[in-house]
Amino acid sequence: MADSKLLVPELGEAEKMGTETERFEELLLQASKELQQAQTSRPESTQIQPQPGFCIKTNSSEGKVFINICHSPSIPPPADVTEDELLQMLEEDQAGFRIPMSLGEPHAELDAKGQGCTAYDVAVNSDFYRRMQNSDFLRELVVTIAREGLEDKYSLQLNPEWRMLKNRPFLGSISQQNIRSQQRPRIQELGNLYTPDSLRLEERREKPHLNLWLEAPDLLLAEIDLPKLDGALGLSLEIGENRLVMGGPQQLYHLDAYIPLRINSRESKAAFHRKRKQLMVAMPLLSVAS
């Protein structure tokens, strides 16, 4: 489904190139101003107190590591799919399914033998946690994603082998965490779950060329080449905090791009340039501090 808030009226063929460029620059300037206003009027984060769930033990090159899997109703839940549907998505190596998590800071603790170790708190949605308690598959998936998330965030190398502690829901103390007040868009809501028919369509989709550049310290611009299209009809566009997903009409195009910057998805704008056959996207950036 196209996001009507992102896609603005097309730039007509009859318009001159200079007029088109000026119009897009005005669009970008407006997005940048809206971002500045939003940053002063909306808090970016809120504090939560995760509740204990279960604790796993693993290790790194620096010693023993414990991960407290916690939960909070303030964490958004993942998409509501069955385990069979989720398994099919994972088997096809699709990155559309996300489990929102809050990854806490490392804290030094003592294990049962009084030896030093490091613990991390990872929080998921409370309803999803209750569902996970009855599913070994979901529990292992959450632990794997949490481990990989901690590795990426803190440049760790954790042992993929782990065990769950018995009769000990957490190690040390669970600290409050800051989470973003505005929930990032759920990119997986763009389309239906994969079926054999939709997989055949996926094989025919073309990945368009994407050109990205920083127009200003707080403004990222993108041009997506769509030579087979004459207009924006049927285009879908979804922008997350660090993700851009675009779908074309009649399964012509599909783009799923990771962007290593924090994007203000609510203030992003897009317009289709008919003469160039490009989708032009203006993405204001969030400040580094959260």
Side-chain angles (χ1 to χ4, degrees), residues 86-129:
L86 176 55
L87 185 59
Q88 182 180 0
M89 295 174 71
L90 296 175
E91 287 176 346
E92 297 297 336
D93 195 25
Q94 301 299 326
F97 185 82
R98 288 184 170 186
I99 300 177
M101 298 181 174
S102 177
L103 306 177
E105 300 287 332
H107 47 100
E109 301 291 348
L110 296 177
D111 65 9
K113 297 180 180 180
Q115 298 177 340
C117 60
T118 304
Y120 297 87
D121 305 329
V122 176
V124 298
N125 174 265
S126 292
D127 290 337
F128 179 71
Y129 175 80

Side-chain angles (χ1 to χ4, degrees), residues 19 70 93 118 127 131 135 141 157 208 286:
T19 304
C70 317
D93 195 25
T118 304
D127 290 337
R131 178 183 169 191
S135 170
L141 178 63
Q157 186 64 49
L286 295 169

Side-chain angles (χ1 to χ4, degrees), residues 1 6 13 31 33 43 45 49 64 74 94 108 115 118 120 134 162 184 192-193 216-217 232 238 241 252 258 271 282:
M1 63 183 173
L6 291 177
E13 291 178 341
K33 290 179 179 178
S45 65
Q49 178 60 62
K64 285 181 284 190
S74 300
Q94 301 299 326
Q115 298 177 340
T118 304
Y120 297 87
N134 300 317
W162 55 272
R184 69 181 63 182
N192 297 323
L193 291 171
E238 190 82 8
E241 188 178 278
L252 286 175
Y258 169 75

Side-chain angles (χ1 to χ4, degrees), residues 5 13 42 67 87 141 147 162 194 210 247-248 281 286 289:
K5 295 181 181 178
E13 291 178 341
R42 282 201 306 261
I67 303 176
L87 185 59
L141 178 63
R147 177 176 56 80
W162 55 272
Y194 287 86
L210 170 66
V281 189
L286 295 169

Side-chain angles (χ1 to χ4, degrees), residues 54 56 58 67-70 99-104 120-124 132 138-154 156 158:
F54 62 89
I56 69 162
T58 183
I67 303 176
N68 296 318
I69 302 296
C70 317
I99 300 177
M101 298 181 174
S102 177
L103 306 177
Y120 297 87
D121 305 329
V122 176
V124 298
M132 181 178 62
L138 289 179
R139 183 164 51 246
E140 292 191 13
L141 178 63
V142 166
V143 170
T144 299
I145 295 175
R147 177 176 56 80
E148 293 176 350
L150 291 172
E151 287 180 332
D152 290 341
K153 184 173 183 179
Y154 297 112
L156 303 172
L158 297 175

Side-chain angles (χ1 to χ4, degrees), residues 2-277:
D3 189 336
S4 58
K5 295 181 181 178
L6 291 177
L7 292 169
V8 300
E10 300 172 9
L11 302 176
E13 291 178 341
E15 294 177 307
K16 293 182 179 179
M17 183 70 72
T19 304
E20 294 171 337
T21 304
E22 289 175 3
R23 182 174 178 179
F24 187 54
E25 288 176 349
E26 290 175 2
L27 177 67
L28 305 183
L29 195 56
Q30 178 186 355
S32 181
K33 290 179 179 178
E34 290 175 353
L35 168 62
Q36 293 175 358
Q37 294 173 355
Q39 289 178 329
T40 57
S41 62
R42 282 201 306 261
E44 287 188 1
S45 65
T46 186
Q47 206 166 57
I48 65 168
Q49 178 60 62
Q51 300 302 306
F54 62 89
C55 180
I56 69 162
K57 177 183 177 181
T58 183
N59 60 76
S60 70
S61 59
E62 298 180 359
K64 285 181 284 190
V65 174
F66 294 84
I67 303 176
N68 296 318
I69 302 296
C70 317
H71 60 92
S72 168
S74 300
I75 305 289
D80 187 14
V81 298
T82 67
E83 289 189 21
D84 289 340
E85 292 169 335
L86 176 55
L87 185 59
Q88 182 180 0
M89 295 174 71
L90 296 175
E91 287 176 346
E92 297 297 336
D93 195 25
Q94 301 299 326
F97 185 82
R98 288 184 170 186
I99 300 177
M101 298 181 174
S102 177
L103 306 177
E105 300 287 332
H107 47 100
E109 301 291 348
L110 296 177
D111 65 9
K113 297 180 180 180
Q115 298 177 340
C117 60
T118 304
Y120 297 87
D121 305 329
V122 176
V124 298
N125 174 265
S126 292
D127 290 337
F128 179 71
Y129 175 80
R130 285 187 282 272
R131 178 183 169 191
M132 181 178 62
Q133 284 183 300
N134 300 317
S135 170
D136 292 339
F137 168 68
L138 289 179
R139 183 164 51 246
E140 292 191 13
L141 178 63
V142 166
V143 170
T144 299
I145 295 175
R147 177 176 56 80
E148 293 176 350
L150 291 172
E151 287 180 332
D152 290 341
K153 184 173 183 179
Y154 297 112
S155 300
L156 303 172
Q157 186 64 49
L158 297 175
N159 188 338
E161 300 294 326
W162 55 272
R163 69 177 180 87
M164 189 165 62
L165 302 187
K166 295 181 179 180
N167 302 320
R168 189 162 189 176
F170 64 95
L171 182 78
S173 59
I174 299 176
S175 302
Q176 291 184 332
Q177 296 186 19
N178 289 321
I179 63 170
R180 296 176 184 87
S181 300
Q182 301 296 331
Q183 179 180 343
R184 69 181 63 182
R186 295 183 194 166
I187 294 176
Q188 67 269 20
E189 291 179 353
L190 270 175
N192 297 323
L193 291 171
Y194 287 86
T195 63
D197 288 339
S198 62
L199 285 171
R200 284 192 290 270
L201 290 172
E202 182 72 18
E203 293 172 356
R204 296 200 299 267
R205 287 179 174 181
E206 179 180 330
K207 182 179 179 181
H209 175 73
L210 170 66
N211 186 28
L212 289 168
W213 73 96
L214 277 172
E215 180 73 11
D218 62 346
L219 185 61
L220 179 70
L221 303 187
E223 290 179 345
I224 305 173
D225 294 335
L226 303 169
K228 296 179 181 179
L229 300 185
D230 295 320
L233 184 64
L235 273 177
S236 64
L237 179 66
E238 190 82 8
I239 297 176
E241 188 178 278
N242 56 13
R243 192 103 166 263
L244 183 151
V245 177
M246 186 218 71
Q250 300 177 349
Q251 312 297 331
L252 286 175
Y253 292 106
H254 179 71
L255 176 67
D256 187 344
Y258 169 75
I259 299 174
L261 296 169
R262 295 187 60 209
I263 300 170
N264 187 331
S265 57
R266 289 177 175 270
E267 309 301 330
S268 297
K269 307 288 183 182
F272 187 84
H273 195 304
R274 282 188 146 185
K275 183 174 288 187
R276 299 179 187 173
K277 294 195 173 185

